[in-house]
Amino acid sequence: MTGINLNKILKERGYKFTNQRQHVFDVVMENDGMHLNSQEIYELVREKHPEIGVATVYRTLALLEEMGLIYGVDFEDGFRRYEIVKNEEQHRHHHLLCIECGSIQEVEEDLLGSIEEKIYQNNRFKVINHRVKFYGYCENCQNK
Amino acid sequence: MTGINLNKILKERGYKFTNQRQHVFDVVMENDGMHLNSQEIYELVREKHPEIGVATVYRTLALLEEMGLIYGVDFEDGFRRYEIVKNEEQHRHHHLLCIECGSIQEVEEDLLGSIEEKIYQNNRFKVINHRVKFYGYCENCQNK
DNA sequence: CTCCATGCAAACACTTTGCAATCCG
DNA sequence: CGGATTGCAAAGTGTTTGCATGGAG
């Protein structure tokens, strides 16, 4: 069910297919929902493919992001974290960050449609995408 | 109308008042809405007070943020940017970022109240604060 | 007079870049 | 084969830290 043919996608865009690119993509795919940062991705790729260099990982992540296969999120913790872009997603989904335990949940989006309309009316600003993070207490941490 | 007595606030929290801290705070105050990053703040302080060191500026910004007088926003451009916290604000306000010209507008908040309720019902997550960024085209850039 | 705060430079952490070697097509 | 891609190490970037000096209370 991985379904995504990276080879094909790369070729279509005029890029070459390499094993390194596949390895990086695999790690991000396999860790869906983990919000790995670049270093973590580098280390995971390295476990299986110790010859890969940091630079390649960074370059590949940038390439995959540019191609729209993954995207970077910034949780303001000093790391750039990456997620797979799901085909169904129009907009990006949102995140719930627990300020007690640091856990990150994802929450489906399309809650903001009416707000974007309001923004267009008030500010004449045409929203294309948004990034929303909610900070608070997850279920577990509320019961302490 | 600057009104804020930094000296008093620092003392209350057990910190010492210094001119450097005042200078840094002044620059952030005077450039309300500019979303200055730390480097820019450092340079602006330096114009009037060339003896100040980078470290002091960073330490002061962190201190001011911890005291709730300013807060940092991350526009994913690699810089931490700071804003004055207005007393009236419960939550932080939102930003509209133009992906064409890079302009940043602010938009008042309290649009998300109903969403936070929905999140509590769906995810049992108690939202305390949120950060919202809308990406799109500002009025000017739509007319091109 | 006692620490806290400062300035400086060195250290850091993450990321990017230059370049020769390598691999894809 | 020829140009894109890689790996390495060096260079960048923004930020933080260690430490002696200086200043607030």
Side-chain angles (χ1 to χ4, degrees):
Chain A
M1 214 47 145
T2 70
I4 299 174
N5 188 338
L6 185 60
N7 189 326
K8 181 159 163 266
I9 299 174
L10 285 164
K11 300 280 174 56
E12 282 170 2
R13 306 289 210 98
Y15 297 115
K16 290 184 176 169
F17 174 83
T18 66
N19 289 321
Q20 289 90 328
R21 286 176 175 169
Q22 183 70 59
H23 297 330
V24 172
F25 188 59
D26 285 347
V27 164
V28 183
M29 288 273 283
E30 288 161 9
N31 293 278
D32 186 24
M34 292 297 293
H35 310 95
L36 300 177
N37 66 40
S38 317
Q39 296 286 86
E40 289 166 340
I41 294 169
Y42 170 60
E43 275 149 35
L44 284 175
V45 176
R46 258 200 151 212
E47 284 181 11
K48 294 191 182 171
H49 309 278
E51 37 348 299
I52 203 167
V54 222
T56 303
V57 173
Y58 279 92
R59 283 188 283 232
T60 302
L61 289 171
L63 183 69
L64 294 175
E65 181 165 27
E66 183 228 301
M67 297 198 302
L69 295 178
I70 66 175
Y71 70 89
V73 205
D74 196 321
F75 293 125
E76 324 222 348
D77 59 353
F79 299 100
R80 184 157 198 74
R81 298 176 177 282
Y82 288 94
E83 305 189 339
I84 291 287
V85 173
K86 314 241 180 26
N87 324 40
E88 325 91 51
E89 288 183 321
Q90 291 263 344
H91 280 19
R92 288 152 181 168
H93 57 255
H94 311 322
H95 292 101
L96 309 180
L97 294 95
C98 181
I99 53 187
E100 183 77 23
C101 69
S103 69
I104 301 172
Q105 289 177 66
E106 299 183 354
V107 54
E108 93 284 6
E109 54 94 18
D110 77 340
L111 300 161
L112 277 75
S114 62
I115 293 176
E116 296 185 357
E117 242 169 68
K118 214 179 285 179
I119 287 177
Y120 188 68
Q121 277 157 26
N122 294 346
N123 299 74
R124 301 273 141 220
F125 187 96
K126 180 80 190 128
V127 174
I128 299 297
N129 211 333
H130 49 236
R131 300 213 170 185
V132 185
K133 283 166 259 177
F134 295 98
Y135 296 84
Y137 296 99
C138 71
E139 191 166 5
N140 274 340
C141 292
Q142 282 172 60
N143 310 326
K144 288 197 197 170
Chain B
M1 215 42 146
T2 68
I4 299 173
N5 189 338
L6 185 59
N7 190 325
K8 182 160 160 266
I9 298 175
L10 286 165
K11 300 281 174 56
E12 283 170 359
R13 307 288 211 100
Y15 298 115
K16 290 183 178 172
F17 174 83
T18 66
N19 289 321
Q20 289 91 327
R21 287 175 174 171
Q22 184 70 58
H23 298 328
V24 172
F25 188 59
D26 285 348
V27 164
V28 183
M29 287 274 283
E30 286 161 10
N31 293 279
D32 186 23
M34 293 298 292
H35 308 95
L36 299 178
N37 65 42
S38 317
Q39 297 284 84
E40 290 166 340
I41 294 169
Y42 169 61
E43 275 149 34
L44 284 175
V45 176
R46 237 168 179 242
E47 284 181 9
K48 294 190 181 171
H49 310 279
E51 25 9 286
I52 203 167
V54 222
T56 303
V57 173
Y58 279 93
R59 283 188 281 232
T60 302
L61 289 171
L63 183 68
L64 293 174
E65 181 166 27
E66 183 229 299
M67 296 197 304
L69 295 177
I70 67 177
Y71 69 88
V73 206
D74 194 320
F75 293 126
E76 323 221 351
D77 59 352
F79 299 100
R80 184 156 197 75
R81 297 174 177 282
Y82 288 94
E83 307 190 337
I84 291 287
V85 173
K86 316 240 180 28
N87 324 40
E88 325 91 52
E89 288 183 321
Q90 291 262 345
H91 280 19
R92 288 151 178 167
H93 57 257
H94 310 321
H95 293 99
L96 308 180
L97 293 95
C98 181
I99 53 186
E100 183 78 24
C101 68
S103 69
I104 301 172
Q105 288 177 66
E106 297 182 356
V107 55
E108 92 285 7
E109 53 94 16
D110 75 342
L111 300 160
L112 277 75
S114 62
I115 293 176
E116 296 185 356
E117 242 170 70
K118 213 178 288 178
I119 287 176
Y120 188 66
Q121 278 157 25
N122 294 347
N123 299 72
R124 300 273 143 221
F125 187 95
K126 180 77 191 129
V127 174
I128 299 297
N129 210 334
H130 50 237
R131 300 213 168 185
V132 185
K133 284 168 258 179
F134 293 99
Y135 296 84
Y137 296 98
C138 71
E139 190 165 5
N140 275 339
C141 292
Q142 282 172 61
N143 310 326
K144 284 196 195 169

